[in-house]
Amino acid sequence: MKIKFLPILLVSLLVTMSAMTSCLDNDIEQVTYSSETSITSFSLGTLHVKRVGKDSKGEDSTYTDTISMANYPFTINQAMRTIENKDSLPVGTDISRVLTKITADTDYILYGKIDSEGAEAKDTLWTSSDSINFAFAPTEGLSFKVLAYSGVMGKAYRVKINVHNQEPDSLQWTKEPIGAGFTSGTLIKQKAVYANDKIYVFGTTQNGKQVVEYTSVSNGTPGTSWTTINLPDATDTYSATLCQGNIYFLVEQVLYKLTDNGCEASSVSNLSQLLAGIDNLLYARTAKDESYVYDVQANSGTTENYNITDFPSKGTRTLSVNIPVSYNTSLTRAVVMGYNTEKADGSGIVSTRLTNDNTWSTYNYEEADTFRCPNIVDPSLIYYNKKLYVFGGEITSKDYTDYKNPFSTLFCSTDNGLTWETVKEDMTFATEGTSFVELYNRGKVKGEGSYSCVVDKDNFIWIIWNNGYMSRGRINHFGFLPKWE
């Protein structure tokens, strides 16, 4: 027997239940639990840093400093669930007792060691007063998870704290010279120029022949050999100067340019010394000690109406660097220095000139002054890490008695060569392997340019010894690669 009224009965029951639910909605508040499980901010508190300083006796001593790390930003990659600091914390930072400040979708944050495959992690409920040990897992970091109000456990974040392993501002050198020997034997009267990803070394062989040897350098790696270009007899190897990507030099007072096939002479003559190159202008000294400016693009030169007899002596190695001017990007300052043969116990000679100047300014120290430029046999001048540095062979200035030996220290200037001071920390020569003094003395021939030095585009300092092998140095922070593009 069929029940004819069943559909009508079911409909009536559904309507009644709907009405009852509607009435309940007016009296009972419904709660919906979120499943959001994101960490939205992460920062550090105060940490301890081990440092090396000087005690009352002037000796190295270790002490612990307390530094707030709150300003070190952490990058949160929500897609990859990673949290990491871009800028590494200072060397010696203790990350075994880390206080953290975390903001998340809920207050329920758990942390522990990252699960190894098949292992069970033992998580701890995080609080802002927890002292967390990140040191036992510095590479993989720690796991942080957020428990949603709905009871859902979020996907784990990998949290890493990066700490520098090396002092960022310390100069590090290869323990032993690298590269290859010159193909033409040992060279004296050296001057090195860096151009087009190559190191060019002008010099004189044991047989008195003038040559230029070159090798490539790429990201701190030198080429496996040197290539020789023979130069005209009587080439002044100390005159090699870079100007607008080309290398110029003098042969019996005639200006030459180095080419792929050798060299070519210009129509410019009666020059006794090349001083510096800025943009398209090559600065020189004439045989009559006049200042001369040659435009390499226009192939024309101008003799300026004054003498420059206070420059380094002719026939000596004259070094120059270009310094960008911070207050005007269209200006560049050339700084020229060299050994003072006229007064060996005095100061080195330093001259400067801006691109919009019409004269050279020379710093001349008549009296002994501990801030004057030291007079250095076989000097090298580099502009590095926004500072001027000079170093080299014996120091003959009578007021620098503590630094007489070759490569005993670097001298630094932050005011374009006006004043100088010794660098006692971080910027030092190699302390391991064969000493620079020994390498220098092996090839020393009456102090006549038995080594040379350049800085490349990757901030590597290259010291080229008389046999062609090179010592390579760089300040650590130039080698710290960014973790994010």
Side-chain angles (χ1 to χ4, degrees):
M1 177 178 175
K2 294 182 178 180
I3 303 175
K4 296 180 180 179
F5 301 104
L6 184 58
I8 298 173
L9 180 62
L10 290 172
V11 171
S12 299
L13 287 170
L14 290 172
V15 171
T16 303
M17 291 175 65
S18 176
M20 290 175 64
T21 304
S22 178
C23 292
L24 287 172
D25 284 345
N26 293 332
D27 298 328
I28 301 174
E29 183 180 352
Q30 289 185 331
V31 178
T32 301
Y33 291 97
S34 170
S35 294
E36 294 181 343
T37 59
S38 296
I39 294 176
T40 55
S41 72
F42 185 96
S43 62
L44 303 178
T46 298
L47 299 181
H48 299 294
V49 181
K50 292 181 180 179
R51 296 188 180 279
V52 177
K54 300 290 183 181
D55 60 17
S56 58
K57 298 179 180 179
E59 298 178 354
D60 289 341
S61 177
T62 302
Y63 67 96
T64 300
D65 201 359
T66 303
I67 301 176
S68 172
M69 301 296 177
N71 291 328
Y72 278 84
F74 278 74
T75 297
I76 302 177
N77 187 325
Q78 298 291 3
M80 301 299 295
R81 305 291 268 197
T82 59
I83 302 176
E84 198 170 357
N85 53 319
K86 294 179 182 179
D87 299 323
S88 296
L89 305 185
V91 174
T93 301
D94 182 5
I95 58 171
S96 65
R97 295 170 292 171
V98 178
L99 294 177
T100 58
K101 182 179 179 181
I102 305 174
T103 303
D105 290 334
T106 79
D107 295 329
Y108 301 103
I109 304 169
L110 295 98
Y111 67 91
K113 193 170 183 180
I114 291 178
D115 298 351
S116 57
E117 192 172 345
E120 243 181 78
K122 294 181 180 180
D123 292 328
T124 302
L125 181 64
W126 172 85
T127 67
S128 59
S129 61
D130 285 349
S131 181
I132 304 173
N133 184 4
F134 280 86
F136 76 94
T139 303
E140 64 270 26
L142 296 181
S143 167
F144 281 71
K145 306 171 190 174
V146 179
L147 179 65
Y149 290 121
S150 65
V152 173
M153 181 66 74
K155 184 180 177 182
Y157 287 83
R158 187 194 69 167
V159 181
K160 280 184 62 180
I161 298 179
N162 296 307
V163 180
H164 281 308
N165 294 320
Q166 299 174 320
E167 288 289 351
D169 293 322
S170 64
L171 179 60
Q172 301 294 319
W173 295 91
T174 51
K175 291 183 179 180
E176 296 292 343
I178 59 177
F182 289 135
T183 58
S184 53
T186 57
L187 297 181
I188 61 169
K189 294 189 176 181
Q190 283 189 31
K191 188 172 182 183
V193 179
Y194 174 76
N196 306 316
D197 299 325
K198 295 181 179 68
I199 294 176
Y200 294 83
V201 179
F202 287 69
T204 301
T205 68
Q206 290 176 312
N207 297 326
K209 179 73 177 175
Q210 284 77 48
V211 299
V212 56
E213 301 247 6
Y214 69 89
T215 188
S216 61
V217 286
S218 177
N219 195 27
T221 303
T224 56
S225 63
W226 293 86
T227 300
T228 304
I229 298 176
N230 291 319
L231 297 174
D233 291 339
T235 293
D236 179 2
T237 55
Y238 283 147
S239 66
T241 303
L242 182 68
C243 185
Q244 207 164 37
N246 291 310
I247 301 174
Y248 295 85
F249 58 96
L250 297 177
V251 181
E252 294 183 324
Q253 299 188 348
V254 176
L255 183 66
Y256 275 69
K257 181 174 74 173
L258 192 69
T259 66
D260 293 336
N261 300 321
C263 57
E264 61 181 34
S266 72
S267 58
V268 180
S269 60
N270 296 320
L271 299 182
S272 62
Q273 202 171 27
L274 298 186
L275 303 174
I278 306 179
D279 299 328
N280 59 305
L281 298 179
L282 183 64
Y283 295 89
R285 178 184 189 178
T286 69
K288 296 181 179 180
D289 294 331
E290 299 164 313
S291 176
Y292 183 81
V293 183
Y294 177 67
D295 188 325
V296 298
Q297 283 186 338
N299 192 24
S300 62
T302 302
T303 300
E304 298 180 299
N305 190 26
Y306 67 94
N307 288 355
I308 50 174
T309 55
D310 53 356
F311 263 67
S313 301
K314 302 171 188 177
T316 61
R317 184 164 66 188
T318 303
L319 292 310
S320 66
V321 295
N322 293 338
I323 302 176
V325 177
S326 58
Y327 58 85
N328 189 335
T329 56
S330 65
L331 296 179
T332 302
R333 179 184 298 276
V335 178
V336 175
M337 70 88 59
Y339 182 67
N340 188 349
T341 58
E342 301 298 322
K343 193 175 181 182
D345 62 351
S347 63
I349 297 174
V350 179
S351 296
T352 73
R353 178 171 182 156
L354 286 171
T355 45
N356 63 344
D357 284 344
N358 56 10
T359 185
W360 287 91
S361 298
T362 299
Y363 304 135
N364 188 11
Y365 302 89
E366 295 296 337
E367 301 298 329
D369 188 333
T370 54
F371 291 105
R372 65 180 177 174
C373 181
N375 203 24
I376 303 177
V377 177
D378 279 351
S380 283
L381 174 72
I382 60 174
Y383 179 64
Y384 192 71
N385 199 28
K386 299 181 180 180
K387 297 178 183 178
L388 282 174
Y389 290 94
V390 64
F391 56 89
E394 295 93 338
I395 297 175
T396 59
S397 302
K398 60 184 177 183
D399 47 329
Y400 284 106
T401 56
D402 293 337
Y403 307 102
K404 289 292 185 182
N405 295 327
F407 292 94
S408 55
T409 190
L410 292 96
F411 294 82
C412 172
S413 174
T414 57
D415 53 11
N416 303 317
L418 176 62
T419 62
W420 298 80
E421 60 182 351
T422 58
V423 183
K424 298 179 181 179
E425 295 181 2
D426 297 331
M427 291 290 289
T428 58
F429 294 112
T431 56
E432 297 181 82
T434 308
S435 71
F436 284 7
V437 177
E438 183 178 344
L439 292 168
Y440 173 72
N441 286 332
R442 283 180 185 176
K444 181 179 175 183
V445 180
K446 297 181 181 179
E448 292 187 343
S450 53
Y451 84 101
S452 52
C453 179
V454 291
V455 177
D456 70 15
K457 67 178 183 181
D458 296 313
N459 298 296
F460 286 104
I461 303 171
W462 297 93
I463 295 179
I464 305 99
W465 305 109
N466 80 317
N467 58 4
Y469 287 88
M470 299 183 285
S471 294
R472 184 197 66 210
R474 184 165 72 166
I475 289 181
N476 281 332
H477 70 244
F478 286 123
F480 295 158
L481 296 176
K483 299 179 180 64
W484 288 265
E485 295 296 335

